[in-house]
Amino acid sequence: QVQLVESGGGLVQPGGSLRLSCAASGIMFSIYAMGWYRQAPGKERELVAQISSGGTTHIADSVKGRFTISRDNAKNTVYLQMNSLKPEDTAVYYCNAHWVVFGSTYDYWGQGTQVTVSS
């Protein structure tokens, strides 16, 4: 059974920082690309950051320079470090595991963790 469990969300003031964690189980973590998505009320889910199995990262323009993604394959965990948070970063943040092999796509999602940026 695949499980992605996010943690680290909460309420933070503008300019503050949070670190999200996503612990994976039930998958061969090291071969999956891992990503963080977010969804704000009334908006579509959007990609925030992704890290490949080889460690290559992609950061959305909206958070570039403020957010970083990293992974620890020994702990089956991916992290999202969020600095200089803005009210527009308020959303539910979801962890994603993604693998494509021989034309088949495997996607798994966590349950989400709420991030609220407000004074």
Side-chain angles (χ1 to χ4, degrees), residues 4-119:
L4 301 178
V5 180
E6 300 104 333
S7 61
L11 173 64
V12 64
Q13 292 186 342
S17 297
L18 283 175
R19 188 176 83 153
L20 305 183
S21 300
C22 171
S25 60
I27 59 172
M28 193 176 295
F29 181 82
S30 62
I31 68 173
Y32 278 76
M34 299 299 298
W36 287 96
Y37 289 72
R38 68 186 182 186
Q39 188 167 20
K43 294 188 176 181
E44 294 187 353
R45 190 174 296 190
E46 63 174 354
L47 175 66
V48 175
Q50 191 174 54
I51 183 166
S52 72
S53 58
T56 301
T57 61
H58 168 76
I59 308 293
D61 287 343
S62 59
V63 303
K64 196 167 291 184
R66 301 189 295 121
F67 291 11
T68 57
I69 187 171
S70 60
R71 65 189 297 160
D72 186 337
N73 288 342
K75 295 182 178 180
N76 287 2
T77 300
V78 61
Y79 304 96
L80 183 69
Q81 179 66 44
M82 306 185 294
N83 298 328
S84 302
L85 282 160
K86 304 176 180 179
E88 50 263 44
D89 295 319
T90 295
V92 178
Y93 283 71
Y94 297 91
C95 177
N96 168 260
H98 178 79
W99 184 44
V100 179
V101 61
F102 300 123
S104 295
T105 300
Y106 297 84
D107 267 306
Y108 301 102
W109 294 90
Q111 80 287 352
T113 186
Q114 177 70 46
V115 172
T116 302
V117 184
S118 175
S119 55

